[in-house]
Amino acid sequence: MRATAVLLATALAASALTGVPAQAAAPDVLNVSFGGSFSSGNTYTAATGEVMGGTLTRRSGAESLDPARGVVLGGGADGVRFQPSTALSGGDVQRSFLIETAYTPDATQGNLATITAIGGAIFGRYNGTNLQYGFSVESGGEWRDVVQSVPVPSAGEQHVLALAYEVGGGGATLHAFLDGQQLPAAVSTDGDATWHPDAGADIGLGNEVHPSALQRGLEGSIRQVRLATFAGAFNPADLKLARPVVSTAKVSVGFEGQIGADGNYQPALGERADPAPSISGGVVPEPGRLRLSGDSAVRWDASGLPEDSGVLAETVLSPDVLRPGVQLIDLLGIAQLVVGQDDVELKAGGQTVPIELPVPSVKEGVRYYYLGLAIENGDTVTVLTGASAVRRTVPVATSNGQVRWLVGARGMAYGVGVSTFLGKPPSETKGLQALPCVVGRLEPGRTQPVAEGECVTSLVAKASAIRPDARQVAWQRMEQTAFLHFGVNTFTGLEWGHGDEDPDLFRPTGLDTDQWARTLRDSGFKLAILTVKHHDGFLLYPSRYSKHSVAASSWEDGKGDVVRAFVTSMRKYGLKVGLYLSPADENQYLDGVYANGSAHTPRTIPTLVPGDDREGRDLPQYTLTASDYGAYMLNQLYELLTEYGPVDEVWFDGAQGRIPPDKVETYDFPSWYTLIRELAPQATIAVSGPDVRWVGNESGLARPDEFSVVPTITKPNGSPDYALGYAAADQGSRKALLAGRDAGATELAWWPAESDVSIREGWFHHPEQEPRSVEQLTDIYYKSVGRNSVLLLNIPPDRQGRFDERDVTRLAEWRARLAAEMPSDLAREAQATGDGVSPRAAIDGNPDTSWRNPGTGTLALTLPKPATLRRVSLGEDIRFGQQIESGVVEVRTADGWQQVATFGAVGQRRILTLDSPATTTELRVRITQSRSKVRLATVSVF
């Protein structure tokens, strides 16, 4: 462990020790979690938000995609090959890079089964019972492998292998991390990796790219992979899929748990205590506070601590604890912090050093101090007060194997902690996530701030106080919306165009937007979104700001306007209108507008062009900050939002098309949002927007427990982002709130999920493809709409400009299947009783009335006659937030009440399929855990 400590300390402190300024992080070359599809044969089409600066291709064709696992591999020839647009190697190019792979291995692996391989030279692979990583070097016609090995990680669990290849000084270093723990580096001082001429810069995921080793497939799955280049020394802070492990919390207690009858502390969610500390002379009167009586102490058995790591003990306490003689921290009998007459004293090595405390910190009116006491290398003691650190070298002493806090204290304490650390100064390795656990006055709103170290009690209270705005409520209540991918790609057969296609390729022979609207209305859709512009930049309306549009086609003699026909038909048949304008634009990139380095300066919108037909009109004008391309987007948004009537949704994605990652435009999202709010205040701004988030895959499947309240951060371009990453399996539970806090979340926000999927394998129409089966579409419905997500189903028009009749037939069959499985609601004729207020309101069919209870309670329904039940649908009145966290459904049988279903998050709608059909006249819904008062607006029984 000592060697690992030195390695980690060296790597993490490299910038500080060498004086080399930190290099700016380069944009990702690849960052996908396989939420897209192999929709173009074996070529992968990235999902919204994924980065793909190159081409990703499956190897054998047997590789499959699973929303929960990523790409599933069966070993042998299975794998995925990535060809970057810009070479990592070859010729005179040698670039340092970082590749992170989140993967789950099966129990057995073939010989040299490969997790990742680069250029036929660099590898991370299985080798018997070891995980081997390194690179091959050729010099003077001789080959040698520079390798390291560690024991293989556990099978059946997800792991993250990160390899950072750093070139320089005539050699190379391969830094390696497994699940954030740094491994010994593979180092060559006389030559770097020698790339195989036939592999070039290609990267293998789950397999090799070396021509003689193409059967070294991994058995398991790859959930996410990220590739980025860097310059200078590698900085472990650049790791994203698994953060580098610097300190490890052994105890992190904020007193949200309980003290058992034996005096041992029982940790609450988010706390860590292994083993549990014992507490004497103290009680926990409310979550987050330990009241001490004066004859008190908190003790922890430290005999299991590693001998070669530093140790830090911490506490957070109120000023009234600072009474002379109180021993605040006794760390292993080697050093103590004791309250003196006028200050706090460090006693160590026979010395007494006075420690001046800063002014107390304040949280929600509660005053407190933070104190830490650390031992480094066995002979350096450091006192932390939150504002400064005092370091002293003391004679080496023998540990007594125990940490004690607050001996003889009277007053209130808010937390204690112990952590071990490697290499880093203790002031940078604080492990205690505890501040006074105080919930201040909360005003309901769409967001709530997150504080560092905030307790779970406070986070849950804030989550319960978050409310959607009116546009979000209206959007979620639609439940089922449609996507229409239509454009020049429809005629080229591509999924992603190149931006230089001839506009005259776009010539639909029988555009029928009324057919679109009738079909969607009859299939239960409430809104449709048209791809006004995909990544290729071709526009489906005649914009004043681009020649790459329908106006340059011979279709309709250049006077055609798909957007106008679309919005007219949608409104005619009672559907709402959504418009998708891709932020990425390959045509504008080729024209030198996109990512041209122009300054973000104030621009007048609309910007009139020569001969503008709006000249002289009294137009509303706006001054907004934008680059050249940002102004291009603003002007087109202005056209769309002022000339086509009301728009109900504006949809931005995060895909980059084929634009190189180092040429990505910094989007002016705040200005775009401002203009949309001004011109279409009723419109939701989706995906790369503040109102709606992407669920994280393009399979149409939401998480089993999908929360609308999630922890968020803000990107440098001003758009909201996932604190936990878009692919996280849990976005909103109590555990996720804590994980989001630790990941740097700045807010909790109402950001509900949209689950997008295409009725066919591709997003644009390809005649050879068939629609999904009724069974697949039905399963998607239950796992999207039935899991508190809005379903966005893509139905692509064909080259005529009509929906394919196969798709129309399949939609009708799907609608019939849902009607058969959820016919008339049996609850409407039932009698309702229950705890709380207005139980009948849950079954009256009105989403604005609800059964209300304090947070847990039972709603019982009595049916007029026996019925065989198969499904139960629940829904909260989301105008008052999302509160339910768990519950059960039970039916009355001859043997009493029998549980037939369990549930977690509810939100707008949760559809439960009973474990088995049950015939009864009585059922009940029991809420077993919630965040605050529950308003259950709908209970339907089928």
Side-chain angles (χ1 to χ4, degrees):
M1 177 176 281
R2 177 66 70 184
T4 303
V6 172
L7 279 168
L8 188 60
T10 302
L12 292 174
S15 295
L17 294 176
T18 63
V20 176
Q23 299 285 337
D28 291 349
V29 177
L30 177 73
N31 191 343
V32 299
S33 55
F34 298 101
S37 63
F38 291 108
S39 58
S40 301
N42 287 329
T43 301
Y44 179 75
T45 298
T48 299
E50 295 186 328
V51 176
M52 202 168 74
T55 303
L56 201 60
T57 309
R58 58 180 170 182
R59 288 269 303 277
S60 71
E63 304 85 349
S64 61
L65 294 176
D66 184 317
R69 300 172 63 193
V71 61
V72 181
L73 307 170
D78 280 9
V80 179
R81 188 182 189 108
F82 178 63
Q83 296 170 292
S85 300
T86 302
L88 299 176
S89 65
D92 296 326
V93 180
Q94 292 285 323
R95 303 176 72 190
S96 298
F97 61 87
L98 163 67
I99 185 165
E100 301 176 81
T101 309
Y103 77 104
T104 301
D106 291 346
T108 58
Q109 297 295 337
N111 183 41
L112 299 179
T114 300
I115 302 163
T116 187
I118 303 95
I122 301 173
F123 48 82
R125 63 196 181 194
Y126 282 74
N127 186 12
T129 59
N130 287 330
L131 179 65
Q132 183 185 71
Y133 53 94
F135 55 96
S136 301
V137 178
E138 188 269 337
S139 179
E142 295 186 1
W143 288 86
R144 61 186 176 90
D145 283 345
V146 181
V147 298
Q148 294 280 9
S149 295
V150 295
V152 299
S154 56
E157 298 180 2
Q158 180 170 290
H159 302 283
V160 175
L161 176 65
L163 301 177
Y165 178 70
E166 179 184 325
V167 294
T173 299
L174 187 68
H175 305 277
F177 292 76
L178 182 63
D179 298 331
Q181 179 66 59
Q182 186 163 25
L183 309 177
V187 181
S188 168
T189 58
D190 58 348
D192 51 27
T194 303
W195 309 88
H196 192 282
D198 294 334
D202 289 4
I203 295 171
L205 306 171
N207 210 323
E208 253 288 359
V209 291
H210 196 291
S212 64
L214 300 182
Q215 294 294 321
R216 297 178 179 177
L218 177 76
E219 294 187 56
S221 58
I222 295 178
R223 187 67 186 89
Q224 188 171 1
V225 61
R226 172 178 174 257
L227 172 69
T229 59
F230 63 91
F234 169 64
N235 184 357
D238 289 341
L239 296 175
K240 290 185 179 179
L241 302 192
R243 293 188 173 189
V245 176
V246 178
S247 65
T248 302
K250 303 296 183 180
V251 177
S252 183
V253 167
F255 302 121
E256 293 182 84
Q258 300 176 335
I259 302 172
D262 57 359
N264 288 333
Y265 182 75
Q266 300 169 359
L269 178 67
E271 296 185 314
R272 181 179 177 86
D274 184 21
S278 63
I279 300 176
S280 59
V283 297
V284 178
E286 58 184 302
R289 302 189 180 205
L290 175 65
R291 180 179 294 148
L292 303 163
S293 64
D295 183 18
S296 57
V298 181
R299 298 177 175 85
W300 183 69
D301 179 4
S303 59
L305 289 176
E307 295 181 358
D308 59 352
S309 63
V311 181
L312 169 65
E314 303 164 273
T315 187
V316 177
L317 45 84
S318 65
D320 58 1
V321 171
L322 300 179
R323 304 170 190 265
V326 172
Q327 195 171 87
L328 300 175
I329 302 176
D330 178 0
L331 182 53
L332 304 175
I334 299 173
Q336 298 83 34
L337 277 181
V338 181
V339 182
Q341 291 298 322
D342 301 311
D343 49 26
V344 173
E345 298 172 340
L346 166 64
K347 296 182 179 293
Q351 304 174 19
T352 299
V353 180
I355 306 294
E356 183 178 351
L357 292 175
V359 175
S361 300
V362 180
K363 179 185 179 184
E364 300 291 346
V366 175
R367 301 164 70 237
Y368 67 94
Y369 287 105
Y370 163 84
L371 291 167
L373 182 59
I375 297 176
E376 305 170 61
N377 303 319
D379 60 359
T380 301
V381 175
T382 303
V383 179
L384 307 174
T385 63
S388 60
V390 175
R391 297 167 68 91
R392 289 290 185 273
T393 300
V394 299
V396 176
T398 302
S399 164
N400 65 10
Q402 190 175 80
V403 178
R404 301 192 302 168
W405 300 266
L406 308 168
V407 179
R410 181 186 301 276
M412 202 72 71
Y414 306 114
V416 296
V418 177
S419 56
T420 59
F421 57 90
L422 299 173
K424 295 281 282 184
S427 59
E428 300 179 39
T429 60
K430 290 170 59 175
L432 178 59
Q433 294 288 346
L435 296 175
C437 188
V438 181
V439 180
R441 179 177 175 82
L442 297 175
E443 292 293 334
R446 206 183 67 79
T447 64
Q448 297 285 347
V450 174
E452 183 180 359
E454 190 159 6
C455 63
V456 68
T457 301
S458 177
L459 289 170
V460 170
K462 287 182 175 180
S464 73
I466 291 178
R467 305 286 185 266
D469 58 32
R471 67 174 71 88
Q472 290 175 308
V473 173
W475 178 84
Q476 286 189 259
R477 286 183 174 181
M478 287 190 291
E479 296 186 347
Q480 185 179 318
T481 60
F483 221 164
L484 282 71
H485 276 65
F486 189 48
V488 72
N489 291 347
T490 308
F491 298 86
T492 62
L494 298 176
E495 283 289 304
W496 286 9
H498 297 270
D500 58 359
E501 290 84 0
D502 182 354
D504 199 42
L505 290 170
F506 184 84
R507 286 184 288 175
T509 55
L511 182 70
D512 189 349
T513 53
D514 275 2
Q515 185 236 17
W516 303 354
R518 282 194 309 272
T519 302
L520 296 177
R521 179 201 61 186
D522 295 345
S523 302
F525 293 91
K526 304 297 191 298
L527 173 145
I529 302 169
L530 177 68
T531 55
V532 176
K533 181 186 77 164
H534 203 246
H535 315 321
D536 53 78
F538 180 79
L539 292 153
L540 292 183
Y541 79 103
S543 173
R544 300 168 180 85
Y545 300 94
S546 174
K547 296 179 181 179
H548 197 58
S549 77
V550 291
S553 166
S554 59
W555 173 66
E556 298 285 348
D557 295 325
K559 295 180 171 55
D561 188 338
V562 179
V563 174
R564 190 163 303 283
F566 166 76
V567 299
T568 300
S569 293
M570 294 304 134
R571 296 193 187 104
K572 176 180 175 181
Y573 286 91
L575 278 79
K576 293 186 176 182
V577 169
L579 303 177
Y580 162 37
L581 205 62
S582 169
D585 192 317
E586 297 196 43
N587 178 262
Q588 290 299 300
Y589 173 65
L590 296 174
D591 282 356
V593 177
Y594 182 100
N596 65 4
S598 58
H600 298 259
T601 56
R603 313 284 178 127
T604 299
I605 307 298
T607 308
L608 299 185
V609 298
D612 201 305
D613 58 314
R614 298 169 296 181
E615 188 74 48
R617 291 168 50 186
D618 185 18
L619 299 173
Q621 289 188 327
Y622 304 91
T623 300
L624 298 165
T625 299
S627 65
D628 289 350
Y629 178 72
Y632 175 82
M633 284 284 289
L634 286 167
N635 278 304
Q636 291 184 335
L637 283 168
Y638 189 96
E639 290 176 321
L640 292 167
L641 299 178
T642 59
E643 298 176 17
Y644 291 90
V647 173
D648 303 288
E649 182 166 346
V650 178
W651 207 91
F652 299 124
D653 64 2
Q656 290 301 323
R658 302 172 189 274
I659 299 167
D662 58 348
K663 300 295 184 181
V664 171
E665 170 85 16
T666 300
Y667 298 133
D668 294 298
F669 277 119
S671 292
W672 301 356
Y673 299 160
T674 296
L675 188 66
I676 295 167
R677 292 292 194 236
E678 286 288 331
L679 298 177
Q682 77 285 352
T684 52
I685 308 174
V687 182
S688 287
D691 300 326
V692 175
R693 67 180 161 90
W694 177 48
V695 77
N697 64 72
E698 292 186 348
S699 302
L701 306 181
R703 298 163 181 81
D705 289 316
E706 194 69 72
F707 286 87
S708 296
V709 177
V710 298
T712 67
I713 58 177
T714 301
K715 290 182 179 179
N717 63 19
S719 67
D721 199 9
Y722 312 78
L724 298 176
Y726 62 82
D730 178 6
Q731 288 283 1
S733 73
R734 295 184 180 216
K735 287 183 178 179
L737 299 181
L738 286 165
R741 173 204 68 184
D742 296 342
T746 55
E747 286 185 332
L748 302 181
W750 191 275
W751 207 25
E754 177 182 75
S755 299
D756 59 334
V757 65
S758 184
I759 196 171
R760 293 160 166 258
E761 191 175 16
W763 288 92
F764 288 89
H765 185 270
H766 306 283
E768 71 278 8
Q769 295 179 354
E770 292 290 333
R772 298 178 190 272
S773 68
V774 172
E775 290 73 19
Q776 288 175 312
L777 292 173
T778 303
D779 185 61
I780 286 169
Y781 181 89
Y782 289 134
K783 292 178 179 176
S784 56
V785 174
R787 290 179 172 178
N788 188 40
S789 176
V790 170
L791 171 61
L792 178 60
L793 180 65
N794 179 66
I795 306 100
D798 62 16
R799 293 180 183 181
Q800 293 183 73
R802 293 174 53 87
F803 284 161
D804 191 308
E805 288 302 325
R806 292 171 293 176
D807 297 350
V808 174
T809 300
R810 188 54 42 82
L811 289 172
E813 293 169 342
W814 174 51
R815 183 72 171 169
R817 171 69 66 85
L818 291 175
E821 294 189 355
M822 291 186 291
S824 59
D825 181 3
L826 299 175
R828 297 294 292 275
E829 303 300 324
Q831 293 182 346
T833 59
D835 308 323
V837 179
S838 304
R840 175 69 193 172
I843 59 173
D844 64 3
N846 184 348
D848 292 336
T849 63
S850 56
W851 166 57
R852 305 188 299 280
N853 68 61
T856 57
T858 301
L859 177 73
L861 302 183
T862 302
L863 305 178
K865 60 182 180 181
T868 300
L869 312 182
R870 290 179 170 81
R871 289 179 179 81
V872 174
S873 176
L874 309 174
E876 297 181 67
D877 187 343
I878 61 172
R879 296 177 302 167
F880 298 92
Q882 184 178 2
Q883 309 296 350
I884 297 173
E885 294 177 304
S886 66
V888 299
V889 176
E890 299 165 323
V891 300
R892 173 86 78 176
T893 69
D895 298 324
W897 288 102
Q898 176 186 348
Q899 180 177 301
V900 292
T902 61
F903 57 90
V906 173
Q908 168 61 25
R909 195 174 188 192
R910 182 72 182 261
I911 301 176
L912 307 170
T913 300
L914 304 191
D915 299 336
S916 60
T919 302
T920 187
T921 58
E922 295 182 73
L923 75 152
R924 64 187 186 188
V925 177
R926 289 198 297 114
I927 310 300
T928 57
Q929 185 175 12
S930 69
R931 293 177 172 178
S932 187
K933 297 178 181 179
V934 169
R935 292 173 180 256
L936 196 62
T938 58
V939 177
S940 297
V941 181
F942 307 101

